[in-house]
Amino acid sequence: MDTVLKGTGKKVVVSSERPTAIIGERINPTGKKRLAAALNAGELGIIKDEATSQVEAGAHILDVNVGAAGVDEVDLLPKAVRLVLETAEVPLCIDSPNAEALDAALAAHQELNPDGRPLVNSVNGEESSLARVLPLVAKYGTAVIGLCMDDDGIPETPEARLSVARKIVERAESLGIGRDSLIIDTLALTMGADSKAGLITLETIRMVREELGVNIVLGASNASFGLPDRDTINAAFFAMAVQAGATALIMDPAKMGQYVLAADLVMGRDEYAMNYIKAYRRRSK
Amino acid sequence: MDTVLKGTGKKVVVSSERPTAIIGERINPTGKKRLAAALNAGELGIIKDEATSQVEAGAHILDVNVGAAGVDEVDLLPKAVRLVLETAEVPLCIDSPNAEALDAALAAHQELNPDGRPLVNSVNGEESSLARVLPLVAKYGTAVIGLCMDDDGIPETPEARLSVARKIVERAESLGIGRDSLIIDTLALTMGADSKAGLITLETIRMVREELGVNIVLGASNASFGLPDRDTINAAFFAMAVQAGATALIMDPAKMGQYVLAADLVMGRDEYAMNYIKAYRRRSK
């Protein structure tokens, strides 16, 4: 299944037939004091820097999140979206739990880039989320990330996560949003606390792919939380997720991009290893 | 299926229920001029050093290979085996294509470590190999690595590799060597030359596991041959191989061990990440 996203100058097709889509996660103040402080002070230059450096490091899509204590997202998210659109040509992943902020940001995106198609991050299985976010997805004709969680949190079993994914797909379809506009995040719990957490996520990926056929996205921060040498864990987790059927990954591309290109190479999605070699040369400069 | 190997002081069980068995590959002069020169001069001290450092880096099994131009393996392989047995407590993987050298080395192993059980590396589907190596495996009661190749080289398709594996299993069983004494190496061709080479190996692993139920071993040197930043490729390849069903990997443990521990962690084979954390602390000292 092809999920098409458009930036100002680049189109990205998320698909199991193509190299894994790399979503740059660094425009996000969570755990970044400097960015949080800059956002609170209305200093947005750092966002431009992160946009440029992540695209140089191989990001195909840029996540834009300004959620920090004290920040008015309804005001700031559209500004950040404009700034990233002016800086980078790649599609955006507009990231907020606040539907009003999403609406304002999507309006700004439509105004500045009327032919574009961003990804909304995210809707989940909670009634309030479905009711608020999916109408925006329909209104602006975007794609959306659907998280396998609901009012009760993240379900423990693959079957229960699949059932949340199924609910999101059905509700989206009832609003005319096709499956090709949905990318399901199967989520991961912390492997340091539950040794089966990784396996459960891999099994969820396989089950959601098989039953619903949709694209799958994943981050690794939960999976490796609290453990040392997290990049090494994330490398293994990402490679196995790609093998299981993940088609997009959220990450710091400068740190993790090469591992994902290596996983694509093993999966036969990189003829003559050209993407891998090109990225290696870029890093070695 | 459990394949049991014994050193002088350590037992290793190769099994999909346990952490992946790490076979240290560094006692091998291929591509190592210094080791080749030392072996030719009869200076074997370097073998003790490699044995010690690889066990410290996390090797569960030590491969012992002395095949270099000018070396008399029939004389040198038993000496190397004695030396490693005196140095390390872990099981050995006695590595030579020369049946006479294997016989001499296995006799030395039996003499010095009568309760031990090494792994022979390797037999393949060629008639001459089956006829010479399998009787030694039966005679000394060892386990053996079976390579999925025959007189025509490495078959291109998973089906053809499976058929070589099937032939090795059948021939072994006809000599009273059970499947639990066989570890099949599904082999890998170079991904830089054929973008499907990795996928073919992963599919072979799945098919051999499903039909024959045996343990699977793999190296990564062929897969990443000729490409830059090989460790990153090997990391992805190993993680995916473990997910597909590989239960033992041949590698430099200092370079690649942490990636394999990370793969085991994701596969739910490392309760509370204790192996991973312990290895991290050891490396950080």
Side-chain angles (χ1 to χ4, degrees), chain B:
Chain B
M1 191 162 306
D2 287 3
T3 302
V4 178
L5 305 172
K6 289 182 197 158
T8 55
K10 301 257 186 193
K11 188 172 93 168
V12 170
V13 180
V14 184
S15 157
S16 60
E17 307 295 309
R18 305 201 179 216
T20 306
I22 294 176
I23 306 177
E25 71 182 8
R26 289 190 52 86
I27 304 176
N28 186 329
T30 310
K32 294 201 195 79
K33 283 186 187 165
R34 195 173 139 241
L35 182 53
L39 293 177
N40 263 304
E43 293 159 10
L44 304 186
I46 188 171
I47 288 180
K48 291 181 80 104
D49 298 344
E50 290 288 8
T52 305
S53 63
Q54 288 185 100
V55 171
E56 276 171 6
H60 304 119
I61 299 162
L62 290 174
D63 192 82
V64 183
N65 180 315
V66 296
V71 160
D72 175 8
E73 284 195 61
V74 180
D75 174 59
L76 204 58
L77 191 56
K79 286 182 184 162
V81 162
R82 283 174 191 276
L83 211 58
V84 178
L85 282 176
E86 286 162 11
T87 310
E89 294 190 317
V90 303
L92 306 196
C93 176
I94 303 177
D95 184 0
S96 173
N98 179 330
E100 206 188 334
L102 285 177
D103 197 358
L106 288 166
H109 188 284
Q110 195 172 56
E111 190 193 326
L112 208 66
N113 184 23
D115 295 329
R117 188 177 199 230
L119 180 62
V120 169
N121 189 2
S122 56
V123 69
N124 64 54
E126 290 180 36
E127 277 307 322
S128 62
S129 173
L130 293 165
R132 287 181 197 168
V133 177
L134 289 181
L136 296 174
V137 173
K139 174 179 170 191
Y140 293 99
T142 71
V144 63
I145 293 178
L147 309 182
C148 289
M149 59 181 290
D150 58 18
D151 306 78
D152 300 323
I154 301 175
E156 284 191 18
T157 66
E159 291 76 13
R161 286 191 208 170
L162 168 63
S163 126
V164 177
R166 197 186 290 128
K167 180 180 175 185
I168 295 172
V169 165
E170 285 167 4
R171 197 66 69 88
E173 287 183 333
S174 76
L175 294 175
I177 302 162
R179 290 185 192 203
D180 58 351
S181 295
L182 272 168
I183 304 184
I184 293 293
D185 187 333
T186 55
L187 299 174
L189 292 168
T190 303
M191 296 189 291
D194 174 4
S195 66
K196 301 296 175 204
L199 268 187
I200 288 167
T201 297
L202 296 174
E203 183 57 21
T204 308
I205 295 173
R206 276 186 285 263
M207 289 173 73
V208 171
R209 292 284 299 174
E210 191 180 331
E211 182 178 313
L212 303 171
V214 292
N215 279 302
I216 304 280
V217 65
L218 209 62
S221 12
N222 268 358
S224 59
F225 182 79
L227 293 168
D229 190 6
R230 295 179 66 179
D231 290 353
T232 297
I233 298 173
N234 296 350
F237 186 64
F238 277 156
M240 290 163 143
V242 166
Q243 183 168 231
T247 46
L249 297 169
I250 304 181
M251 74 187 77
D252 180 343
K255 276 190 187 172
M256 301 308 301
Q258 69 244 47
Y259 292 105
V260 177
L261 295 178
D264 282 336
L265 175 60
V266 181
M267 289 300 285
R269 295 179 194 150
D270 187 4
E271 199 87 34
Y272 303 110
M274 281 174 69
N275 289 339
Y276 187 79
I277 293 170
K278 208 159 62 181
Y280 170 77
R281 288 190 182 142
R282 199 178 52 213
R283 282 203 312 279
S284 308
K285 264 183 201 163

Side-chain angles (χ1 to χ4, degrees), chain A residues 191-192 195-196 198-199 202 206 227-229 232-233 239-240 243 258-259 262-263 265-268 272-273 276 280 283, chain B residues 191-192 195-196 198-199 206 227-229 232-233 239-240 243 258-259 262-263 265-268 272-273 276 280 283:
Chain A
M191 297 189 291
S195 66
K196 301 296 174 204
L199 268 187
L202 296 174
R206 277 185 285 262
L227 292 167
D229 189 7
T232 297
I233 299 173
M240 290 163 142
Q243 185 178 17
Q258 68 243 47
Y259 292 104
L265 175 61
V266 181
M267 290 299 285
Y272 302 112
Y276 187 80
Y280 170 77
R283 282 203 312 280
Chain B
M191 296 189 291
S195 66
K196 301 296 175 204
L199 268 187
R206 276 186 285 263
L227 293 168
D229 190 6
T232 297
I233 298 173
M240 290 163 143
Q243 183 168 231
Q258 69 244 47
Y259 292 105
L265 175 60
V266 181
M267 289 300 285
Y272 303 110
Y276 187 79
Y280 170 77
R283 282 203 312 279

Side-chain angles (χ1 to χ4, degrees), chain A:
Chain A
M1 189 163 308
D2 288 2
T3 302
V4 179
L5 305 173
K6 290 181 196 157
T8 54
K10 301 256 184 192
K11 187 172 93 168
V12 169
V13 180
V14 183
S15 157
S16 59
E17 308 295 310
R18 306 203 178 215
T20 305
I22 294 175
I23 306 177
E25 72 182 7
R26 289 191 52 86
I27 304 175
N28 186 330
T30 310
K32 295 200 194 80
K33 282 186 187 166
R34 195 172 139 242
L35 181 54
L39 292 177
N40 263 304
E43 294 159 10
L44 303 186
I46 189 171
I47 289 181
K48 291 180 80 105
D49 298 344
E50 289 288 8
T52 305
S53 63
Q54 288 185 100
V55 171
E56 278 171 4
H60 304 117
I61 299 161
L62 291 173
D63 192 81
V64 183
N65 180 316
V66 297
V71 161
D72 175 8
E73 284 195 60
V74 180
D75 174 59
L76 204 58
L77 191 57
K79 286 181 183 163
V81 161
R82 282 173 192 276
L83 211 58
V84 179
L85 282 175
E86 285 162 12
T87 310
E89 294 190 318
V90 302
L92 305 196
C93 177
I94 303 176
D95 185 358
S96 174
N98 178 332
E100 204 188 334
L102 284 177
D103 197 358
L106 288 166
H109 189 283
Q110 193 173 58
E111 190 193 327
L112 209 66
N113 183 23
D115 296 329
R117 187 176 200 232
L119 180 61
V120 169
N121 189 2
S122 57
V123 70
N124 64 52
E126 289 178 38
E127 278 306 321
S128 62
S129 173
L130 293 165
R132 286 180 198 169
V133 177
L134 288 180
L136 297 174
V137 173
K139 173 180 171 191
Y140 293 99
T142 71
V144 64
I145 292 177
L147 308 183
C148 290
M149 61 181 288
D150 58 19
D151 306 76
D152 300 322
I154 301 176
E156 284 191 16
T157 67
E159 292 75 14
R161 287 192 207 170
L162 167 62
S163 125
V164 177
R166 196 186 291 129
K167 179 178 175 187
I168 296 172
V169 166
E170 284 167 4
R171 195 67 68 89
E173 287 183 333
S174 77
L175 294 176
I177 301 163
R179 290 185 191 202
D180 58 351
S181 296
L182 271 170
I183 304 184
I184 293 294
D185 187 331
T186 54
L187 298 173
L189 291 168
T190 303
M191 297 189 291
D194 174 5
S195 66
K196 301 296 174 204
L199 268 187
I200 288 167
T201 297
L202 296 174
E203 184 57 22
T204 308
I205 295 173
R206 277 185 285 262
M207 290 173 72
V208 171
R209 292 284 301 174
E210 190 180 333
E211 182 179 313
L212 303 171
V214 293
N215 279 301
I216 304 279
V217 66
L218 209 62
S221 14
N222 270 358
S224 60
F225 182 79
L227 292 167
D229 189 7
R230 296 179 64 177
D231 290 354
T232 297
I233 299 173
N234 295 348
F237 185 65
F238 277 157
M240 290 163 142
V242 166
Q243 185 178 17
T247 46
L249 297 168
I250 304 181
M251 73 187 80
D252 180 344
K255 276 190 188 173
M256 300 307 302
Q258 68 243 47
Y259 292 104
V260 177
L261 295 179
D264 282 338
L265 175 61
V266 181
M267 290 299 285
R269 295 179 193 151
D270 186 5
E271 199 86 36
Y272 302 112
M274 281 173 69
N275 290 338
Y276 187 80
I277 293 170
K278 208 159 62 181
Y280 170 77
R281 289 190 181 142
R282 197 178 55 211
R283 282 203 312 280
S284 308
K285 263 182 199 161

